[in-house]
Amino acid sequence: SVLCVCCRTAALQMHAGGSQAGPSSREEPAGRPSGKKASVPMEEEFRGRSWATPPDRVSGRKRDGAELARCSGFWSAEGERAEAAASGSAAGERPSKSPRRDGETALVHPRAELDDLQRGLVRQFVSTIDANEESIVITNPRAQGNPIVWVTRPWQDMCGFTYGEAVGRNPRLTQGERSDPAVVSAISGALKQERPCKVAMVNYRGGEGGPAFWNMLSISPLLHRGQLQLYIANLQDYSYHMGQMVSLTPSQFCRAALHYRRGRRLDAPLTSLSLAKPAIYEADGEHPLQPAPEPPPAQPMMRRLGWNKLVLEPEHLADRVGDALSRIDAQYELAERLASGESVVVSARSGDVAMRVLVSEEADGHYSISCARLSGDTFSYHAAFRQLKAALGEALTQHPLQSRGFVTPPTGAARGALPLARALPALTAP
């Protein structure tokens, strides 16, 4: 029988116990792995699902339920909960880990429907991300039903399913009563055409009947030599941010914009900002990328006030601008959404002051909100700008996208914060 790494190491140590250690050798404590990596390829180890559970005498110590679950090779929700309990974590919590980008985070579930090429692509993609921080789900469009084949720990925490519970199922498992059917249909249409898209919709942690949350996700195809192999989805919990809107009702949407069809390689680490931007990934370093879309037209030069280094999604920032303008009794309209880039133009009037507000992407991938006076008194314009700043509030702070788990509004939230319970019932029926 094939043994797991820790059991195989313990057996070798016991077998060598009769020989005298040389002067340069170093004894390891009984029952502890040597720290050396196994010579057996990771995928072959994982394919050996008939792993035998060694008796207690192999390591010379009693094995608890969590270790037995690991060594027997059975992947189950019970086994995951046993490991969490053994590590001292509460039920449903994951033991904290330092960020890693190595292949150990890419262990593939035995029920995942993947061929050898796709398994290699999963490992290749996972090597470019911080799997302990990013909420990522990978699906296989070449299998019937586009089933889930790999997820990160943050995805499990956000969506309320373990890897073992989610594998083989369609990502629709988190949808429910208030998930907009029109948005679901639009997602299906984009996937059939192999197009990247950005989505905002209501999902349910643990499936319908669980707590609702606002999901901002980016879906990107992963190609190999131009052929679709996998879909990558990056999720962000926007429940708290949506709850900050007072005058406007959050809307669900699916956008498959032209500029999302940018080519991107897997030859460098992917940051949270880049993962949040839909793209077309090409795994083969020699295959030509998708042609880059035309850059957005240059905006006319004029003096502006505003804020930069923002990380909230531009669609949400545009909604927050509209909400803030409504709160200061300004009239506004969405003048233009530039199709060639992450840019939204809002025309507004507050009293005698007319101004244009631009939400745009900066060269480093962050976003900015800038205001330009079109007419009116300078002092009145600055007063309106200060009102807009106060109404936008925390949307103007640089939010680090490191806490990717399920977010609920804090108790005693800042003035103007709305709990999720008030934001969701306001959704209009599709």
Side-chain angles (χ1 to χ4, degrees):
S1 300
V2 180
L3 302 181
C4 68
V5 179
C6 61
C7 299
R8 186 166 58 249
T9 303
L12 288 175
Q13 290 171 350
M14 184 175 181
H15 177 73
S19 60
Q20 199 72 10
S24 62
S25 65
R26 176 180 168 186
E27 293 187 10
E28 293 287 338
R32 289 181 59 186
S34 65
K36 296 181 180 180
K37 292 185 178 180
S39 59
V40 180
M42 178 177 59
E43 289 301 324
E44 291 187 14
E45 272 198 45
F46 235 72
R47 274 200 284 269
R49 304 314 296 178
S50 59
W51 297 349
T53 305
D56 297 338
R57 58 182 172 81
V58 171
S59 63
R61 59 186 173 85
K62 185 69 176 177
R63 295 174 178 267
D64 57 24
E67 188 169 0
L68 288 174
R70 281 199 302 274
C71 295
S72 63
F74 294 110
W75 191 307
S76 66
E78 290 73 21
E80 290 186 13
R81 283 190 283 269
E83 284 200 56
S87 66
S89 301
E93 295 182 349
R94 307 286 193 237
S96 59
K97 297 182 179 180
S98 58
R100 295 164 60 175
R101 296 181 185 274
D102 56 42
E104 292 183 27
T105 60
L107 292 175
V108 178
H109 197 284
R111 294 203 311 273
E113 298 184 52
L114 293 167
D115 58 31
D116 291 340
L117 171 62
Q118 291 172 319
R119 288 175 182 269
L121 295 178
V122 170
R123 291 198 301 271
Q124 183 180 357
F125 177 81
V126 174
S127 69
T128 67
I129 67 171
D130 188 340
N132 291 318
E133 295 292 343
E134 311 297 344
S135 179
I136 301 287
V137 56
I138 301 179
T139 64
N140 181 6
R142 303 175 75 87
Q144 184 176 4
N146 191 28
I148 292 172
V149 295
W150 192 83
V151 298
T152 60
R153 293 268 184 172
W155 182 94
Q156 298 173 61
D157 296 334
M158 181 185 296
C159 296
F161 293 93
T162 66
Y163 186 8
E165 293 167 339
V167 68
R169 301 175 65 181
N170 187 277
R172 289 190 296 266
L173 80 170
T174 59
Q175 294 174 14
E177 179 183 2
R178 292 188 178 275
S179 303
D180 191 339
V183 172
V184 176
S185 178
I187 295 173
S188 298
L191 298 186
K192 288 179 181 178
Q193 298 180 48
E194 302 181 11
R195 292 183 177 180
C197 59
K198 184 180 290 184
V199 179
M201 68 183 305
V202 176
N203 283 148
Y204 293 83
R205 187 168 184 262
E208 187 165 12
F213 68 98
W214 278 96
N215 186 4
M216 183 75 73
L217 69 155
S218 300
I219 304 176
S220 303
L222 173 57
L223 313 182
H224 181 262
R225 298 179 182 176
Q227 299 297 314
L228 176 66
Q229 297 293 333
L230 302 166
Y231 274 115
I232 312 292
N234 175 77
L235 286 71
Q236 302 176 68
D237 186 340
Y238 260 54
S239 305
Y240 177 76
H241 301 306
M242 295 294 191
Q244 298 298 303
M245 296 173 62
V246 176
S247 300
L248 296 184
T249 299
S251 59
Q252 303 181 61
F253 64 82
C254 173
R255 289 185 67 205
L258 180 64
H259 65 277
Y260 294 156
R261 303 178 202 175
R262 50 198 158 203
R264 186 179 294 161
R265 297 202 185 277
L266 299 177
D267 54 0
L270 296 171
T271 64
S272 297
L273 273 175
S274 60
L275 287 168
K277 302 176 191 292
I280 298 177
Y281 293 98
E282 173 55 60
D284 190 316
E286 298 181 356
H287 192 84
L289 292 175
Q290 294 284 330
E294 296 181 5
Q299 296 296 315
M301 295 294 295
M302 55 178 54
R303 190 174 180 181
R304 295 175 179 170
L305 300 173
W307 311 271
N308 59 2
K309 298 296 182 183
L310 308 178
V311 297
L312 293 181
E313 295 298 311
E315 292 87 356
H316 179 67
L317 286 175
D319 286 344
R320 294 290 289 271
V321 167
D323 180 72
L325 290 169
S326 296
R327 292 168 64 182
I328 65 174
D329 296 325
Q331 298 175 336
Y332 75 96
E333 64 177 352
L334 180 65
E336 188 177 7
R337 184 183 293 275
L338 304 179
S340 54
E342 299 277 15
S343 299
V344 181
V345 181
V346 180
S347 296
R349 176 175 289 277
S350 177
D352 296 331
V353 176
M355 59 183 174
R356 182 175 61 190
V357 183
L358 175 66
V359 178
S360 59
E361 182 177 3
E362 299 179 300
D364 64 357
H366 290 86
Y367 300 102
S368 65
I369 300 176
S370 58
C371 304
R373 178 172 62 94
L374 302 180
S375 64
D377 179 77
T378 301
F379 293 102
S380 299
Y381 166 64
H382 280 267
F385 177 81
R386 288 191 295 269
Q387 286 182 306
L388 179 62
K389 177 181 179 180
L392 283 169
E394 51 80 37
L396 303 179
T397 61
Q398 184 174 359
H399 298 274
L401 298 181
Q402 295 176 352
S403 179
R404 313 291 287 200
F406 183 74
V407 177
T408 54
T411 304
R415 181 180 179 183
L418 290 180
L420 179 63
R422 288 183 59 189
L424 286 180
L427 289 169
T428 55

